[in-house]
Structure formats: C-alpha cells, structure tokens
C-alpha cells in the first residue's frame, strides 16, 4: 500500500465505526459514508438495500432514543456487509405489522425485506440493531 497516495488508514480497510448524535437529516450523511465504503470494497451492488436499511435504523434512533445518540459500525465481511446501529436504550426490538392507515411502523419490516438477515441484541448499555447483506 502506498502511504503517500492512499487516503484511508489501514484500519478502514474492513470497517468503520463512529458515534453520532443524529437528527432529521443525518440519514443522508450516513448513506453517503456507507456508499463510499461500499464503493471502496467493490460492493456497490449492495448500496441500495443497505442504504435503505441504514436509513430505517437511524430513523428509529431519531424517534425513540432520548438524546439521539448512537454508534454505527460498517463492517466488510467475507459474505458481504454487516451494519450495526447501537444505542443506550435497553429493550426488545420488534418488527410490528402496521395497519394500512398508520403513518409509521413499517421500518423494520422494510429492513427485513431488503436485507438477508437482521436482528437486535441487548447489551449491558442498551441494544444493537444490525443487518447483513450478502454479495
């Protein structure tokens, strides 16, 4: 690797982790970061489903997490991509069925529809919601 011309440190070769305080427009910034890494990792074909799923997880932080703090992990895996959004609010995450006239409640159903796997893990300090997209 040429240190003079490579703009990414070696640690970014397979992962990216950052803490955020998110707002109404944060999903767009996070989608750009995600797409940059997918392009670098030659995983462009995963950009649309991964960007939609990340948008939904960030929207849940905006709606349900006091203080709107979260951390995002974008991880290159041998099978493709894993993205995790962690926050400090404990509790189960359930994909509910929204009624036809409800204005919200379909986010996790969308995540399930566009990714290969998703789930939520409770942690000592809150929870991590994740998804995976296969190449």
């Amino acid at each position: 690797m040429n240190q003079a011309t490579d703009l990414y440190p070696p640690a970014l070769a397979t992962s990216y982790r950052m803490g955020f305080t998110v707002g109404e427009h944060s999903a767009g910034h996070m989608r750009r970061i995600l797409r940059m890494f997918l392009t670098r990792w030659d995983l462009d074909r995963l950009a649309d489903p991964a960007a939609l799923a990340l948008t939904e997880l960030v929207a849940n932080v905006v709606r349900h997490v006091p203080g709107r703090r979260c951390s995002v992990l974008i991880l290159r895996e041998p099978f493709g991509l894993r993205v995790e959004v962690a926050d400090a609010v404990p509790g189960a995450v359930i994909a509910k069925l929204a009624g036809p006239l409800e204005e919200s409640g379909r986010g996790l159903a969308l995540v399930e529809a566009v990714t290969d796997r998703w789930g939520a893990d409770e942690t000592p300090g809150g929870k991590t919601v994740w998804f995976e997209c296969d190449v």
Side-chain angles (χ1 to χ4, degrees), residues 16 34 41 43 46 73-77 79-84 117 119 121 128-133:
Y16 169 83
L34 175 65
W41 297 333
L43 296 175
L46 301 179
L73 171 66
I74 302 170
L75 184 61
R76 171 68 165 107
E77 295 279 10
F79 60 80
L81 173 72
R82 180 179 174 101
V83 175
E84 299 179 357
R117 288 166 298 286
D121 301 320
T128 300
V129 183
W130 56 269
F131 65 85
E132 297 174 340
C133 296

Side-chain angles (χ1 to χ4, degrees), residues 35-113:
R35 288 179 189 274
M36 177 191 69
F37 280 100
L38 291 175
T39 298
R40 179 169 175 82
W41 297 333
D42 292 322
L43 296 175
D44 300 90
R45 60 195 165 279
L46 301 179
D48 290 339
L52 176 58
L54 178 58
T55 299
E56 294 302 330
L57 297 187
V58 171
N60 284 344
V61 172
V62 170
R63 285 189 191 113
H64 303 295
V65 174
R68 298 179 170 182
R69 287 281 311 154
C70 69
S71 66
V72 175
L73 171 66
I74 302 170
L75 184 61
R76 171 68 165 107
E77 295 279 10
F79 60 80
L81 173 72
R82 180 179 174 101
V83 175
E84 299 179 357
V85 177
D87 63 57
V89 176
V93 175
I94 301 167
K96 68 177 190 172
L97 294 174
L101 299 179
E102 292 183 65
E103 293 182 12
S104 64
R106 293 172 185 81
L108 292 175
L110 282 172
V111 171
E112 184 172 18

